Amino acid sequence: MINVSELFPYSFDASYAKPVAYFSMEFAIDQPLKIFSGGLGFLAGSHMRSAYELRQNVVGVGILWKKGYYDQDRNQDQTLKVNFRDKDYWFLTDTGILFPIMIHGAKVFVKALFLKPDVFKTAPLFLLTTDIPENDYLAQTITHRLYDPNETTRIAQSILLGAGGAKLLDVLGRETAVYHMNEGHALPLCFYLLDKFKHDIQEVRKRVVFTTHTPERAGNEEHSLPILNEMNFFNGLKQKEVEELVHPENGVLNYTLTALRMAHRANGVSRMHGDVARKMWAGYEGVCEITSITNAQNKTYWSDPTLDRALADGDDQALLAQKKKLKHKLFRVVANQTGKLLDENILTIVWARRFASYKRANLLLRDFDRFLKIAGNTEHPIQVIWAGKPYPEDFESINLFNEIYWKTKNLPNCTVVTGYEMWLSGHLKKGADLWLNNPRLFHEASGTSGMTAAMNGAINLSIPDGWVPEFARHGENSFVIEPAAAPVPEENDKTDANRLLDMLEKEVIPLYYTNPGRWLSIMKTSMRDVLPQFDSARMVKEYYENLYR
């Protein structure tokens, strides 16, 4: 069995010596380890990388997803196709640890794999699996699909992450002063700790912190109390005791609300989101303090070093030359997928993130005739690339992906690419001139893709939501779309679409071609302003100072 004294290849910085365990359903560590879906995983991966760089006493706890999230492919007609393929990871270490947990009245065996810090330069990461011969097939499927659509499987996944992860730390003999839940998926760890500390809720609270990511009450995961009880979610605690402890509403347990009641401190993931979260949960009894720690991304992993050097040296020619090379690399990837060969000298707009209705991937196309006019302008030409993964059972968003494909199919300068994972994400951020972010206002808790785009010389064109108000200064380091304020979302969509096209047509596109010096100035200011504030080194430092204290 792995020795707890051998987990870290570094001695701890004295400021970060308190032992922390970071629980997350997904981690975007590096492209070869496909156990992530989107922003939550990208955040967790950057957290692990910066914890390593700052020599923090942090271990990650996650799940080894056999099929990952899904493989985004194409049907014969080029529309989106969802595939699930088994994956193997020979760079993980078998810890030799095998232990049982109870799920749905049955004993399920858990095996722990280990990602050594030196493999990808991260804090130590343990990944749990039930896909082993000791379990029956049903138990094996718990770790097959990230965010499985089956309700009881999803609950089992939370039990594995929370209770299984906490038990792993006890089996290891690893002292843990702080248990950090990145979203509410790991909530069963609180009930595991409650059992461990003989039902003393104060002993649990002083050890648990919680990061909430969802700015809407309806978006937080919840299940009926009887189903959770039947699944062993509460680690032996009787249903009546649960009701007295966390006061579920109408027989339904909300993960976020319960986490806020069982943690001693919590945070939203931007200043704006912190305000939204405090207002959202203000009327509920027993909720802990909610502060804000704005998300960030790891500069070492995401930024292009040649661009960084050119910026530091004040070498504008080198900066522009490297940006053109990065565009060329991206366009080779695009051409390989779509047969459309784009031009490095043309303004390139990228919309790339998870496909969800509130993110409005098709806002640019809402007035399609006007978009066609802009896209067909030969004096000031543009190129547009869309990318992103819908949830595999979100058929509305899949239809949106396909709609964009069909609408742009015959436009040589517009395209949709598949396989939006870390590798493609990096190419898109490095190759974009303009990074488009247009969610409905107050729906984006943080968003981080624009941070790494800015690190690589892409200028943000954005609705002022999530992290953006902490960064953006219109016309200086970004372009900001004034959001509509109508009470009806459809009316806002129409207004926001018109304002987006107005800004592109009257300000952004002409500036790129008629005043390249000013464009370069905005680009460089953006690259400078995004650091160090939105490098995850700042973020993990703040977690120790503000949440783990």
Side-chain angles (χ1 to χ4, degrees):
M1 190 171 86
I2 195 165
N3 191 319
V4 70
S5 65
E6 299 171 350
L7 296 182
F8 294 89
Y10 51 80
S11 56
F12 306 128
D13 184 299
S15 300
Y16 310 120
K18 180 181 282 191
V20 175
Y22 181 92
F23 291 72
S24 184
M25 194 64 92
E26 52 175 297
F27 287 88
I29 298 294
D30 207 338
Q31 178 62 32
L33 185 56
K34 299 182 181 185
I35 56 169
F36 58 89
S37 71
L40 187 73
F42 278 50
L43 170 72
S46 281
H47 195 123
M48 292 295 102
R49 286 182 174 276
S50 288
Y52 174 92
E53 291 170 0
L54 270 63
R55 297 186 290 116
Q56 294 185 338
N57 189 359
V58 175
V59 298
V61 180
I63 293 177
L64 183 63
W65 302 107
K66 183 175 184 177
K67 300 176 187 295
Y69 185 44
Y70 70 92
D71 295 286
Q72 188 184 30
D73 297 321
R74 294 183 189 269
N75 292 305
Q76 187 173 341
D77 65 355
Q78 298 295 303
T79 54
L80 188 148
K81 181 178 182 180
V82 172
N83 276 329
F84 295 98
R85 289 193 284 268
D86 293 353
K87 294 164 178 65
D88 296 308
Y89 301 109
W90 295 97
F91 48 79
L92 297 178
T93 299
D94 186 346
T95 63
I97 296 173
L98 185 72
F99 59 89
I101 60 173
M102 291 299 293
I103 298 178
H104 211 169
K107 187 181 289 187
V108 175
F109 287 93
V110 180
K111 181 178 182 177
L113 284 296
F114 182 54
L115 179 65
K116 292 182 177 179
D118 290 340
V119 176
F120 294 122
K121 308 302 180 190
T122 65
L125 175 61
F126 289 96
L127 298 171
L128 308 178
T129 180
T130 61
D131 188 41
I132 51 177
E134 288 82 357
N135 291 322
D136 62 25
Y137 180 73
L138 187 62
Q140 290 174 1
T141 64
I142 294 170
T143 57
H144 280 187
R145 282 186 58 185
L146 173 59
Y147 305 131
D148 194 290
N150 180 275
E151 183 180 20
T152 55
T153 307
R154 279 285 286 272
I155 294 169
Q157 291 173 344
S158 284
I159 296 169
L160 172 63
L161 177 64
K167 186 170 182 177
L168 167 66
L169 298 174
D170 287 344
V171 171
L172 274 169
R174 195 256 180 176
E175 176 195 2
T176 302
V178 177
Y179 296 80
H180 181 176
M181 294 188 292
N182 185 37
E183 243 327 338
H185 306 114
L187 181 61
L189 86 81
C190 295
F191 296 102
Y192 176 91
L193 294 176
L194 195 64
D195 179 60
K196 178 178 177 178
F197 294 108
K198 299 179 172 50
H199 294 203
D200 186 341
I201 186 61
Q202 296 308 322
E203 287 296 317
V204 176
R205 282 196 181 115
K206 73 182 186 182
R207 290 170 170 83
V208 174
V209 298
F210 171 54
T211 298
T212 176
H213 292 261
T214 310
E216 289 189 315
R217 174 79 164 80
N220 293 275
E221 188 169 357
E222 55 186 25
H223 300 282
S224 76
L225 215 59
I227 290 175
L228 293 173
N229 191 47
E230 185 181 332
M231 293 291 296
N232 299 107
F233 192 89
F234 305 116
N235 205 67
L237 199 68
K238 299 289 189 293
Q239 186 168 320
K240 189 172 186 303
E241 294 174 300
V242 174
E243 291 172 350
E244 292 172 354
L245 182 68
V246 294
H247 316 294
E249 296 182 300
N250 303 315
V252 174
L253 188 87
N254 181 288
Y255 283 20
T256 298
L257 182 55
T258 306
L260 290 170
R261 285 171 167 159
M262 298 188 79
H264 78 277
R265 193 173 290 117
N267 72 287
V269 290
S270 68
R271 290 175 195 163
M272 181 181 283
H273 178 233
D275 290 339
V276 169
R278 284 187 289 275
K279 291 172 185 173
M280 187 191 311
W281 303 112
Y284 292 88
E285 179 188 346
V287 169
C288 68
E289 173 196 356
I290 305 173
T291 183
S292 63
I293 297 174
T294 301
N295 283 349
Q297 290 292 318
N298 182 258
K299 174 188 181 295
T300 307
Y301 181 83
W302 286 106
S303 70
D304 179 75
T306 304
L307 283 178
D308 289 343
R309 279 194 302 273
L311 182 69
D313 294 343
D315 191 337
D316 291 351
Q317 291 306 113
L319 187 69
L320 292 170
Q322 179 63 8
K323 187 65 181 178
K324 188 172 284 192
K325 285 181 183 177
L326 294 171
K327 290 175 76 171
H328 177 77
K329 286 183 179 180
L330 168 61
F331 296 165
R332 296 287 292 174
V333 174
V334 171
N336 183 54
Q337 273 201 34
T338 68
K340 296 183 179 181
L341 195 56
L342 304 182
D343 186 336
E344 294 88 354
N345 297 303
I346 291 177
L347 174 64
T348 301
I349 304 168
V350 174
W351 188 100
R353 53 190 41 81
R354 180 169 62 90
F355 263 70
S357 58
Y358 77 87
K359 293 177 183 283
R360 302 188 297 187
N362 62 342
L363 192 69
L364 196 58
L365 306 178
R366 186 177 175 90
D367 185 341
F368 192 54
D369 289 338
R370 189 176 175 194
F371 172 78
L372 288 176
K373 179 186 170 188
I374 294 170
N377 186 326
T378 54
E379 182 184 358
H380 292 157
I382 63 167
Q383 300 168 151
V384 187
I385 304 168
W386 284 267
K389 280 186 173 184
Y391 179 67
E393 278 76 32
D394 181 358
F395 300 110
E396 179 185 352
S397 293
I398 290 173
N399 288 338
L400 178 60
F401 182 98
N402 292 336
E403 174 198 323
I404 293 171
Y405 167 73
W406 287 116
K407 282 188 169 181
T408 61
K409 181 178 185 293
N410 295 319
L411 300 178
N413 57 333
C414 299
T415 193
V416 187
V417 290
T418 57
Y420 186 65
E421 296 175 356
M422 294 184 76
W423 181 78
L424 179 59
S425 177
H427 275 297
L428 288 163
K429 290 161 181 172
K430 291 170 184 174
D433 293 309
L434 198 65
W435 192 260
L436 181 58
N437 175 51
N438 48 242
R440 291 195 180 110
L441 190 65
F442 303 121
H443 285 63
E444 193 70 81
S446 173
T448 60
S449 65
M451 301 173 187
T452 42
M455 291 177 194
N456 290 287
I459 299 173
N460 278 273
L461 170 57
S462 182
I463 292 283
D465 204 5
W467 77 285
V468 176
E470 299 173 44
F471 166 77
R473 302 191 313 281
H474 181 79
E476 295 181 42
N477 66 3
S478 55
F479 301 103
V480 181
I481 307 159
E482 181 186 353
V488 182
E490 289 72 21
E491 292 179 18
N492 284 340
D493 291 350
K494 181 178 180 180
T495 302
D496 287 349
N498 287 333
R499 289 176 178 175
L500 168 60
L501 292 174
D502 282 346
M503 187 169 288
L504 282 171
E505 196 169 27
K506 298 174 183 178
E507 182 175 359
V508 176
I509 298 171
L511 180 68
Y512 182 83
Y513 289 104
T514 63
N515 197 342
R518 182 158 172 246
W519 183 277
L520 177 62
S521 175
I522 296 171
M523 171 182 161
K524 292 194 297 182
T525 303
S526 171
M527 292 177 72
R528 292 190 187 104
D529 288 354
V530 80
L531 298 169
Q533 184 63 19
F534 300 101
D535 178 7
S536 49
R538 183 271 311 159
M539 179 185 75
V540 300
K541 179 175 180 285
E542 285 189 13
Y543 272 110
Y544 260 91
E545 292 173 347
N546 300 335
L547 212 66
Y548 302 161
R549 67 178 193 272

